[in-house]
Amino acid sequence: MEMRVAAGRWTPKLVLVLVLLQASSLVSGSHFRYGTMSWRPIDATDTEVGQTILADPILVRHTVAFEFKAAYRRDYEWGKFFREQYRPPNVAGGTQVWKDGGSCYTEDSCSVLGISNPSNYMLFPFIAQGFYVGWEIKLAVGRSYFELNVTGPNANDELSDTRRPCVSPFDTGDKPLCRGGVPSGTQYPTTQIDPTTNCVGSICAGSLVPYEITYPDFVSALTVPCEQVDDAEPDYCSPWSQTYGFFFGDSDTTGIPLSTDVVLEITEMNYEVTNVGNYLLGTASFYHTYQEAGVPKKKKDDFTPWTAYFTGGNRLTYSTDRLINNHQGRFRLELTVNLNYPGEVIGKQGYVPNNSPVMTALPVLPVPYTGRSEISANGVLATFQVSGFDPDIDPEAYKGNKLESNEAVYYFLGSQRKMGMLLANQVPDLKFPSRWFRAEYEEARRDCYLSSCIPVGGVADPFILVGTGANLIPAGVNLTVGQTFTPDPLNAAHNAFATFKYEGTCSECAGGNRTCTQLREEGPSGITIETPLNFTCELYEPWDNNVNLAHQPERLYLDRYSGVVQWETGINPRDVDNATYVTDFWNHRDPGDETKVTYAKRLAAKGTQPSPEQEPLQPGFYNVVFDVRSYSHDPDCHLKVYDAATLGSISPHTGKAFTLPAPGNGGLYTEAQCKAVDDENMIDIAYVSVPLDFLLFLYPPASWCSKSKCRNTQAGITTFRDEGFYGTQNDVNVLSTGSCTICGGGEWNLYDVSAAGLTDKQLNLTDYTVCLQDDDCKYDFDTVAITPAIEADICKRNTPPKWVDQASAGNDDGNTPTPRLADRPTWSTLRVVPSDPTSALASDPFIDGVPIENVYPGLALFLGQRSSEVRFNLTAVDEDDCVEMQILPIGLFRGYTMYNLDTDGVPTASQACSYASSFAGNDGNIGSTCPYNMKLEFIKRIGTTNQFYRTFVWSANNTLPQVQDPRPPNVVVCFIPFDNYQVGIRRCVNIILLSERFLYWIDARAKLTDVFSGTNDAFNTIVEDCNATRIAGSNENRYQNPCHYTPADLTTFYVSPNHTLEFYMTALQDSGNPPIGIYISEGGTMRANGTVGPPEGATFEYLEYDDKSGKTHLRDPAKRRFTWTPKEGQQCKYVLCFIGNNTRELEESIEFTSTFFWTRPFVPIPALLDERCYTIVVADQQLALQAGSFVDAAAALPSLTSDCGMTFSMWFFPEGTTTMPLATFGYTKPGETDNIVYMLEWDPVTAVVFHDGITVQDLGQYYRLKFSTGQSYIIQTDAEFCVNEWHFLTFTIAPNGNFVLYLDGVETTHYSDDDRDFHVVAVETGSMPVVDGKVEIIGDILNNNPGYTGFLRIGSFDAVQTFNGMIGDVRIYSRVLTAEEIGAKQFVPLTATSEVGLEAYYKFNDGSQADNTLGNPQGNFNKYRAQPPASADPDCNLAGDTFCNNDVRDAPEGPFGSEMKAKGQSVTDLSGNNNHAIGCDDANCRKESTMYFVFGPSPITPPCPQETSPDVVHVDGGTPIAISGIGFARSQWLKCSFSMSDGSIKVIKAVHSDNSTIICANPGSPDLTVSALEVTNGGVNFFTNFQIPIYMMERVVSFPETGGKVTIKDACDMIGTNLFSMGAWVYPLSQSSSALEDVISLIGMTSNDQTGLLSVRYDGVRFVVHEKIGNTETALGESPDAPAHNMGEGSGWHYVMLSGNTDRLVLYMDGESTELTATSISLSTCDLELGTTTTGRKAFFGYVEEMSAFSGFLNACDSYQIMWGN
């Protein structure tokens, strides 16, 4: 095509040069080093976007702010190529002019046109530190040298339109040549190949690049229009290999992609002329409103986000820059933008913006070789960590302003597309032309092969060997020269063939490589471009996608959860690594969820050695690209059907197959799938992705000569950073400690490190001879003898710097802010052993030898004050002999990646924050023009140490009110220590700017109006809504919570299983520092990452607060709803505490105050955060009946027929003393009285009669169960049962008339193991009348007589025959249950779906306060007010959810018997058959009778023990243990279980005190043990999982620090002082040596009436023996060290014995004997004392156990035996 720039025409001269350059594919030069991008929604502070957008909520909703950061080579000829321009900072009163030296930004300045001005090329030479900060570079959009445009028409009336970048990286954009005289535009089949799809060998079936529908003259994706002149130039799109600039991903009204020039503001200039320096770093910010055809649009389509990208080239070269992978490759920073997050209108609480993740890194990161036998900073192998986070708050984890509440970020290695895909593939390197595409690369290989490898006088073998089966490869296999065929063991056609590499005629080159001299291209005027090539099959290898397209470094692993990179580099550039792994080599382990092991992978096990040995990687640069993701919040992901057949199943970004919707879900993804961002293959719409592209520099680890052994005066090895010496660099940003000679590593001399004959010195791996420079080191240059030749002592390897942490978190002692342990999202130390031993959790989750905080460093907290300066030190230390220390910033919260952080200028020059004159409102971010002028002061050294620090400063305007401080109140800044070779662990500091505004729970306290009314729209709206809802002066709805008020502190809630509890936590601060966080602080479920969540099955979700004013609150006030429907098995008492906070406090400064405590008049307790605690009791209900009430369950009767028989079971708790009906089955004929079919009765008997029929003794009243029929057929049990305890009855009727009656089980008698616990069980059998071979059951009667009305009255029968007591579970089956089934189900709540023939199931959990006129419409739960303190307001003027001291109050103080009426209430059938029962009302049962639902346990309720007293009992057993909790039934089966040390279980009968207290005596134990105590209401096989530890121990004597004494009177009568031994186990607690403590003493009178004392004492370290006669005291000797409690190794219990006779005195301590000076004391009378209370003698502080005394001298062996109890 004829080409031109803009509206100008090409001159002949231009044509010549351009053809040359196009043929050369010279799109290089800018030397890209590093780049990342992010985006965020705009808000009112983004005034640069213009009022037109800010005034339109729709445009605001579709507009984002992009943040761009990149690094390039500094001294590149800026302004010469590719439309780049530059300019200095603008000056007051004017704008600087853009300059270039012929970059072709406009046709008037274009070096290609010969108008270049070399004097305008900008190399950014050094002038002064910080001189170029603020300069700008314009990175334009274009192709090759010119903009994307439409050119032509040419002589054939053809246009070239390159305004659209090509969609495929493999599309050249060039039309094929029209042949045979066909007209322009004739459609030809597409022929271009995508090598990443279906390419095998030389065959690429199905891999054609489609012609896109957006291209000009589109007809079909399979055809492309032709052109008349084959110019090899783009015609319909701009190819990836030539395109550069920033593209937003959307299009204008004509379908042309929207793009922008990026203005990069220089923030840092690195002048080091080294491999890792010489770069400029800059940032850019710009805005874009997303649209399609001029209409705002949130994303491209339902399942496709916008893809924005910045692209260009080329990367570094291999030959001159030593980039190992991706040399001369394109780069493509690609991110996704999805604006379809919840919320529509800015200015409303519903607007919840979503931000992209934010990434940052050093442009070039040096990485030393690290072998498998070493552990580096972050783990095994060479490691470093990527810095990234998402500013968005995760509602599920939100806890105030903790960074751990921010949404999770996941790290992945970028795909080939995200790396830029294309490489120049110049062979050899730096020789044109570039071979971007597979076809031209293979064509050049073929031409080179044919020209270089023809044998003399012969013909070359074919470039492609076609398999025939008769040659060396099977039919259908084609090989190009250099390719290898490997047989497929699963393909039978390959069985006869072996591995074969096709060399062609390459062997003919063996005598000397031949040069491809014919690879040349002729340009205009005879200009020739040569490509000399020494061809070998090894050098010019066949195309390989993993080599010839962009690719990540080899053996590099990125953990998707932590961002830790582990790289298996080898030990040095030369030697293989054959060591074993020093620890397990893990990847992808989620620190926040120990159970999530889906992606966890152990790449190698500790101690394993790979085979073959690992070859080292080449030293030099490596390009690495990360794809970093966070949750998109797009609801379409799980609400719209994804049709993979239509929409595709392969990601265009990664080239991998998508994770598809879960089977059976109708093509819908689940919400859990959409949130699983850690799934690398999840559909693009689920996540937001940002790039991070930078360089690694791999080098041999550096070493320096030891200062203690060497003079360090001779220059050593030159490295990439230093010339022979380390520790000599000093400037404002780097400080050093002095000179050390470099003796190893850090660089290489030869790239060909495998060359034979090279010494270690030549390779610069280690040369410690340079350290031995004088006679002291005795280096003999003649014999090359080295003494001492200890490399580790002389030549010391470099170690990374470390942070010097504060002594305690939050204590500003001048050192680096330190993460609190709770702020580290680490693997929990309390792990559940996985059931699957092969799972990732089955091994130790910690990195062996590496502190876990290195891998998951956590977050340090710094609390500042709004309108006040923030200042803290960043202190680091390097333990090397010499140091060159830097402390560098690497990130700032919310996308402001510390661009303006001044590392060069004078810190005191910072200006205070200001704000616009148009500032309005209380939100500190509205109207702000304040720059984020954070600064790092110059680095300083602490004395002569190896510690250094920089001071971080964040200025503020202290004249502003706090609420107007425009600085963000919650930011995170990150830093690294860097010694110019190795990077230390990053440290991030969360800066919270505190506000003095107090936070309040919003409840119905009328006096809250004094705080907020008139100043806060949200509060006024709350009050307005509440007043409108509440009926003034009425108590009718006093249980209601229409305003979603926060319950009063210490409120108690009762809820039964399968009922729903719901309440709201609402808080308000109005501090200008949103959002408020509300979270569970205590009592919930502890998650693996250390946060506390709601109980299992509960939810705690934020709700929106619409105050109807249009003001943006950003969740202040905040409202969160707690919802829980507990399940069976969760019956227990839970205490949950909730914290509301906005400004995070340190734990030690938190006062968990409750704003409901006050004095009168109302004085709230000030709190920046506030806690309220509630008790939630999950309890079963029972039905309590008195004086003639019943429940009618007649609905189930028709299903009980003779076809299969019937079973009826019920739990009952009788309280009356007369005959009482329990259940009555019957029917009523029209106009007649009731007819009883069956009746079960509880019948008292007052005497016991022996077998001879004579009554001998009245043993009290016992009871029996009677069953009768309408024909008076009676079966009854023996009278052996009691009232006031639970009983279980069951009867079955079989179709053949067989009848069985069970009471309290299915066995006749049961005894426990110790034969002391028994209960009586009755099983009675009989027969029912049979007619025509079948028994007639109640259902038969009703079904055969349609006019009959059945009844099943549970409880009383009528006003005369009444039942008093409680009814529990009732089960009705339409079949006969076996005895085994009855026994198995007796103590177990039923699961209806698992039951066969279950017709009705009543648990009676139907009561709630909603059932009475007081009203509690929120759910089926009960609410009880807190007990008021004495200071509660006696006037009761506080309406709502609080309390007062008179009868008009919002809630009862606790459950009471008449609270939940059951008369006339429905009783739910839980069988699923809707056979609901109904409580009788006053019309059909006795009016005076009562019937209520009451909270209380039955034997099927799982008890929940919570505390014991005591929890330490004696091993001998028999200690009564009071167990408190809930759910203890008055059950004859109530028992305790104790686990014993031998693995056995002992079951003990429990004594029932009340439903919250029982007593069990502990069994004896042969050993000291910790026993798990469990409780059951229902027998030995039905213990729950609620366990409490009971410590079974021996007793010891505890001596308090204030003094205590045990006296054995007249001890000398037993043992004397001339022949004695006395010993004991002693546990000292005192660590003070200020005075001696008396432990064991003999004290009495001598024969001459003097006071005498022989005492073993303790001095804090050892035991000392003293004697005292009268006033004379003498030390006789001391024991070896015997450390007290917690004083290091050997501390704790010690056995001490003193043994003496007339000649010897020996002290034995822990088996060691010490000879003492023999005592001269002789006591005639004495007492033996342990401890003392005597004035003037220091009391022993500790424990004494197993004291023994003997009237004889014991030797060491005797002492040892006694010590161990023998």
Side-chain angles (χ1 to χ4, degrees), residues 1391-1411:
T1391 301
T1393 55
S1394 302
E1395 297 296 319
V1396 177
L1398 181 66
E1399 301 297 338
Y1401 179 35
Y1402 309 109
K1403 282 188 64 66
F1404 303 106
N1405 282 342
D1406 296 276
S1408 78
Q1409 293 166 334
D1411 293 333

Side-chain angles (χ1 to χ4, degrees), residues 1303-1378:
L1303 183 59
D1304 289 347
V1306 297
E1307 301 174 14
T1308 55
T1309 305
H1310 172 72
Y1311 292 90
S1312 69
D1313 293 340
D1314 58 12
D1315 290 340
R1316 292 182 297 174
D1317 169 37
F1318 67 92
H1319 66 267
V1320 178
V1321 174
V1323 180
E1324 305 290 343
T1325 62
S1327 297
M1328 303 287 287
V1330 174
V1331 179
D1332 296 330
K1334 277 192 175 183
V1335 68
E1336 188 174 45
I1337 298 179
I1338 179 65
D1340 297 320
I1341 298 173
L1342 296 176
N1343 295 332
N1344 295 331
N1345 297 278
Y1348 291 7
T1349 302
F1351 60 81
L1352 169 50
R1353 296 173 187 168
I1354 300 171
S1356 303
F1357 173 64
D1358 55 24
V1360 177
Q1361 300 177 76
T1362 64
F1363 172 79
N1364 295 333
M1366 290 184 292
I1367 303 294
D1369 271 30
V1370 173
R1371 300 111 179 250
I1372 303 173
Y1373 289 85
S1374 59
R1375 68 180 182 90
V1376 177
L1377 268 63
T1378 65

Side-chain angles (χ1 to χ4, degrees), residues 172-200:
T172 65
D174 184 28
K175 295 179 180 179
L177 177 65
C178 298
R179 293 180 174 86
V182 300
S184 298
T186 300
Q187 298 293 317
Y188 279 40
T190 55
T191 59
Q192 297 181 111
I193 298 297
D194 180 345
T196 64
T197 309
N198 298 330
C199 274
V200 179

Side-chain angles (χ1 to χ4, degrees), residues 92 194 844 875 993 1016 1187 1238 1275 1284 1509:
D194 180 345
D844 184 4
T875 306
L993 299 182
N1016 187 280
Y1238 321 122
I1275 291 179
N1284 294 321
S1509 179

Side-chain angles (χ1 to χ4, degrees), residues 1035 1038 1436 1444-1450:
N1035 294 322
R1038 63 191 182 201
C1436 195
C1444 45
N1445 282 344
N1446 63 18
D1447 293 335
V1448 183
R1449 54 198 181 196
D1450 280 357

Side-chain angles (χ1 to χ4, degrees), residues 1172-1195:
R1172 285 195 173 180
C1173 296
Y1174 308 115
T1175 298
I1176 300 174
V1177 179
V1178 181
D1180 283 337
Q1181 297 179 31
Q1182 315 300 332
L1183 187 65
L1185 307 93
Q1186 294 287 330
S1189 56
F1190 62 84
V1191 167
D1192 191 351

